[in-house]
Amino acid sequence: MSRQAGGRLGKAGLALLGTAVVLSMTACSSGETEARQVVEQAGTKITVMDNTSESVYTKLQLEGIDKVEGMRSMDWVSEDVIVMDKENRSLAPQMIEGTEQYPHNLYLHNLTTGEDTPLQEGGQNYGAAQVSPDKKYVFYKETNEMIGPGYILGLESGSPVKVDEAPFRVEEGEWADDGKVIFPGMDGVIYKTDVQGVKETVVDSGVPYVHEVVQSGSILYYVTGEDMQLTAYDTDSRQSKVLKQSVVWVVPSPDGSKLAIVKRTKPGEMVLVLCDSEGNEQTELASGQQVFGTSWSPDGSKLAYSLTAENPGDDPNGVFISELESGEQTQLLGDIEIADQLRWSPSGKKLLASAAVLKDNKYVSTTYVIKLS
């Protein structure tokens, strides 16, 4: 699920950044402190940017950033293998709005060797891929339109299984656990489908538009209505409880004890807040035009997100990590707008970010592999 929302660091974050060392700037920057090396793996050029500066307040350290052009990263299969989409130039292009466009297909990309293995190829555009928690399956969608069919595919073998006969919104759908995907239908009903393609009804929201559906343990969170009401539904007791309003989306921590919530405070401003599992606010982490790609580290100690500042000339933009224990905010990439949810590797030592970067008057999909220690 795409998790986008709002952009200026909160007051506490700005104070910390004023005294802390910014770990890294984006590949678009030209800082002289960066060491860069271009290497080639299986015909793919990778720019390696090293910067081992360390923040004053934290032990978090940046080992380096690998930048790979021409592919859009989706999720991790292992520490060295990711799911990504790229143009399939072995197929004939299609004329779309007066330009030739190749279908985007899914591949497994080995970060060590640079080799690509086809995962799902064909004349359709495939994307929005998520790997199951046990790393055995991938959930993906056809992305030609705003709505489309979803599929589950075994990473080792098997044919794709349709999640639902009816299409649903491309930005929706999440793994509920190792073996089931949860998603809202166009009828306001929330469903689950297992890896065999068996679908079940979870709850009828009673409203036509349900979005930002995510499950944590037995609790199902979803947003409805013009007031963007966040509801928690207990799948065991089958009881619902309204937690908050003006919620853009919610991202539960791995153990479910905390919620990272992006809420709209006024037109053009959104705020990222840390809450307990009941939606009670504890800390404001960031605010501005957009907060995008919010993602918890596997151990729940860090929160990664991309910020778009309300005043880009004065406030920092880019990818940040917030450490919950210390409250430290650290910038990893500057002046960049990512295209998908940030994804942590299984070890929590790497972070995937994808962006569309303007090059030769054309936007090129670019993947950043941020290596931490």
Short mmCIF file of all heavy atoms in Angstrom, two decimals, residues 45 57 120 132 138 146 150 158 165 183 186 198 239 244 246 252-253 256 321-322 327 332 347 355 366:
data_model
loop_
_atom_site.label_atom_id
_atom_site.label_comp_id
_atom_site.label_asym_id
_atom_site.label_seq_id
_atom_site.Cartn_x
_atom_site.Cartn_y
_atom_site.Cartn_z
N LYS A 45 24.91 -0.21 -14.33
CA LYS A 45 25.81 0.70 -13.65
C LYS A 45 25.25 1.09 -12.29
O LYS A 45 24.11 1.48 -12.18
CB LYS A 45 26.07 1.95 -14.50
CG LYS A 45 26.95 1.68 -15.71
CD LYS A 45 27.31 2.96 -16.43
CE LYS A 45 28.26 2.67 -17.59
NZ LYS A 45 28.62 3.92 -18.31
N TYR A 57 24.03 12.37 18.39
CA TYR A 57 23.18 11.82 19.43
C TYR A 57 22.86 10.34 19.27
O TYR A 57 22.12 9.79 20.05
CB TYR A 57 21.86 12.59 19.47
CG TYR A 57 22.04 14.02 19.88
CD1 TYR A 57 22.03 15.03 18.93
CD2 TYR A 57 22.25 14.37 21.21
CE1 TYR A 57 22.21 16.36 19.29
CE2 TYR A 57 22.42 15.69 21.58
CZ TYR A 57 22.40 16.68 20.62
OH TYR A 57 22.57 17.98 20.99
N GLN A 120 7.46 -12.19 -13.08
CA GLN A 120 6.19 -12.16 -13.81
C GLN A 120 6.36 -11.26 -15.02
O GLN A 120 6.51 -10.05 -14.89
CB GLN A 120 5.06 -11.66 -12.92
CG GLN A 120 3.70 -11.65 -13.58
CD GLN A 120 3.24 -13.04 -14.02
OE1 GLN A 120 3.59 -14.04 -13.41
NE2 GLN A 120 2.49 -13.11 -15.10
N SER A 132 5.58 -11.67 1.20
CA SER A 132 4.94 -12.13 2.43
C SER A 132 5.94 -12.13 3.58
O SER A 132 7.15 -12.22 3.36
CB SER A 132 4.36 -13.53 2.24
OG SER A 132 5.39 -14.47 1.93
N VAL A 138 4.74 -13.58 -3.16
CA VAL A 138 4.70 -12.16 -3.50
C VAL A 138 3.29 -11.81 -3.94
O VAL A 138 2.65 -12.56 -4.69
CB VAL A 138 5.74 -11.80 -4.59
CG1 VAL A 138 5.47 -12.55 -5.87
CG2 VAL A 138 5.75 -10.30 -4.84
N MET A 146 -6.28 2.68 -12.47
CA MET A 146 -6.36 2.96 -11.05
C MET A 146 -6.91 1.77 -10.26
O MET A 146 -6.66 1.63 -9.07
CB MET A 146 -7.25 4.19 -10.81
CG MET A 146 -6.68 5.47 -11.39
SD MET A 146 -5.06 5.90 -10.71
CE MET A 146 -5.51 6.29 -9.03
N GLY A 150 -5.50 -8.29 -8.47
CA GLY A 150 -4.32 -8.61 -7.68
C GLY A 150 -4.02 -10.09 -7.76
O GLY A 150 -4.91 -10.91 -8.00
N GLY A 158 5.03 -22.44 -8.99
CA GLY A 158 3.58 -22.26 -9.04
C GLY A 158 3.16 -21.17 -10.00
O GLY A 158 3.97 -20.41 -10.53
N GLU A 165 -11.93 -11.99 -8.11
CA GLU A 165 -12.40 -11.87 -9.49
C GLU A 165 -12.71 -10.41 -9.83
O GLU A 165 -12.57 -10.00 -10.97
CB GLU A 165 -13.66 -12.74 -9.70
CG GLU A 165 -13.36 -14.22 -9.74
CD GLU A 165 -12.37 -14.59 -10.84
OE1 GLU A 165 -12.47 -14.02 -11.95
OE2 GLU A 165 -11.51 -15.44 -10.58
N PHE A 183 -7.72 -6.84 1.95
CA PHE A 183 -7.94 -5.72 1.03
C PHE A 183 -9.41 -5.30 1.08
O PHE A 183 -10.29 -6.10 1.40
CB PHE A 183 -7.57 -6.12 -0.40
CG PHE A 183 -8.40 -7.25 -0.96
CD1 PHE A 183 -9.50 -6.97 -1.78
CD2 PHE A 183 -8.12 -8.56 -0.66
CE1 PHE A 183 -10.28 -8.00 -2.28
CE2 PHE A 183 -8.90 -9.61 -1.15
CZ PHE A 183 -9.98 -9.33 -1.97
N MET A 186 -14.55 -2.84 -3.76
CA MET A 186 -15.19 -1.62 -4.19
C MET A 186 -16.58 -1.46 -3.58
O MET A 186 -17.24 -0.43 -3.77
CB MET A 186 -15.29 -1.61 -5.73
CG MET A 186 -13.94 -1.75 -6.44
SD MET A 186 -12.82 -0.37 -6.11
CE MET A 186 -13.63 0.92 -7.05
N VAL A 198 -8.46 -18.76 -1.84
CA VAL A 198 -9.74 -18.86 -1.12
C VAL A 198 -10.02 -17.53 -0.42
O VAL A 198 -9.23 -17.08 0.40
CB VAL A 198 -9.72 -20.00 -0.09
CG1 VAL A 198 -11.04 -20.06 0.68
CG2 VAL A 198 -9.44 -21.33 -0.79
N GLN A 239 -15.83 -6.54 17.48
CA GLN A 239 -16.24 -5.24 17.95
C GLN A 239 -15.39 -4.16 17.27
O GLN A 239 -14.19 -4.33 17.07
CB GLN A 239 -16.09 -5.13 19.46
CG GLN A 239 -16.95 -6.12 20.25
CD GLN A 239 -18.44 -5.87 20.05
OE1 GLN A 239 -18.92 -4.74 20.16
NE2 GLN A 239 -19.17 -6.93 19.74
N LYS A 244 -9.77 7.82 15.79
CA LYS A 244 -9.41 9.21 15.46
C LYS A 244 -10.12 9.62 14.17
O LYS A 244 -10.68 8.77 13.46
CB LYS A 244 -7.90 9.35 15.24
CG LYS A 244 -7.04 9.05 16.45
CD LYS A 244 -5.56 9.21 16.12
CE LYS A 244 -5.15 10.65 16.14
NZ LYS A 244 -5.24 11.25 17.48
N SER A 246 -9.63 12.56 10.67
CA SER A 246 -8.64 13.26 9.84
C SER A 246 -7.38 12.44 9.64
O SER A 246 -6.28 12.98 9.54
CB SER A 246 -8.29 14.63 10.46
OG SER A 246 -9.44 15.44 10.59
N PRO A 252 0.97 0.29 11.82
CA PRO A 252 1.25 -0.30 13.13
C PRO A 252 2.71 -0.76 13.22
O PRO A 252 3.32 -1.16 12.23
CB PRO A 252 0.31 -1.52 13.19
CG PRO A 252 -0.69 -1.30 12.09
CD PRO A 252 0.01 -0.52 11.04
N SER A 253 3.26 -0.68 14.44
CA SER A 253 4.61 -1.20 14.67
C SER A 253 4.58 -2.73 14.59
O SER A 253 3.51 -3.34 14.65
CB SER A 253 5.11 -0.75 16.04
OG SER A 253 4.29 -1.28 17.07
N GLY A 256 2.65 -4.26 17.26
CA GLY A 256 1.31 -3.73 17.41
C GLY A 256 1.10 -2.78 18.57
O GLY A 256 -0.01 -2.28 18.77
N ILE A 321 15.24 8.97 9.25
CA ILE A 321 14.97 7.91 10.23
C ILE A 321 14.84 8.56 11.60
O ILE A 321 15.65 9.40 11.98
CB ILE A 321 16.09 6.85 10.25
CG1 ILE A 321 16.03 5.97 9.00
CG2 ILE A 321 15.99 5.97 11.49
CD1 ILE A 321 17.09 4.91 8.93
N SER A 322 13.80 8.17 12.32
CA SER A 322 13.62 8.62 13.70
C SER A 322 13.83 7.43 14.62
O SER A 322 13.25 6.36 14.41
CB SER A 322 12.21 9.19 13.89
OG SER A 322 12.00 9.55 15.24
N GLY A 327 14.62 9.84 20.30
CA GLY A 327 13.95 10.93 19.62
C GLY A 327 14.78 11.54 18.52
O GLY A 327 14.38 12.54 17.90
N LEU A 332 18.92 10.86 5.68
CA LEU A 332 19.72 9.92 4.90
C LEU A 332 19.86 10.36 3.44
O LEU A 332 20.91 10.22 2.85
CB LEU A 332 19.10 8.52 4.95
CG LEU A 332 18.99 7.89 6.34
CD1 LEU A 332 18.27 6.56 6.25
CD2 LEU A 332 20.35 7.73 6.98
N SER A 347 17.26 -7.87 8.17
CA SER A 347 18.16 -7.61 9.29
C SER A 347 17.96 -6.22 9.89
O SER A 347 18.43 -5.94 10.99
CB SER A 347 19.62 -7.74 8.82
OG SER A 347 19.96 -6.65 7.96
N ALA A 355 12.75 6.13 -6.50
CA ALA A 355 12.37 7.48 -6.89
C ALA A 355 12.38 7.58 -8.41
O ALA A 355 13.01 6.78 -9.10
CB ALA A 355 13.32 8.50 -6.29
N THR A 366 14.75 4.99 -10.31
CA THR A 366 16.05 4.82 -9.65
C THR A 366 15.83 4.21 -8.28
O THR A 366 14.93 4.59 -7.54
CB THR A 366 16.77 6.18 -9.49
OG1 THR A 366 16.94 6.77 -10.78
CG2 THR A 366 18.12 6.01 -8.82
#
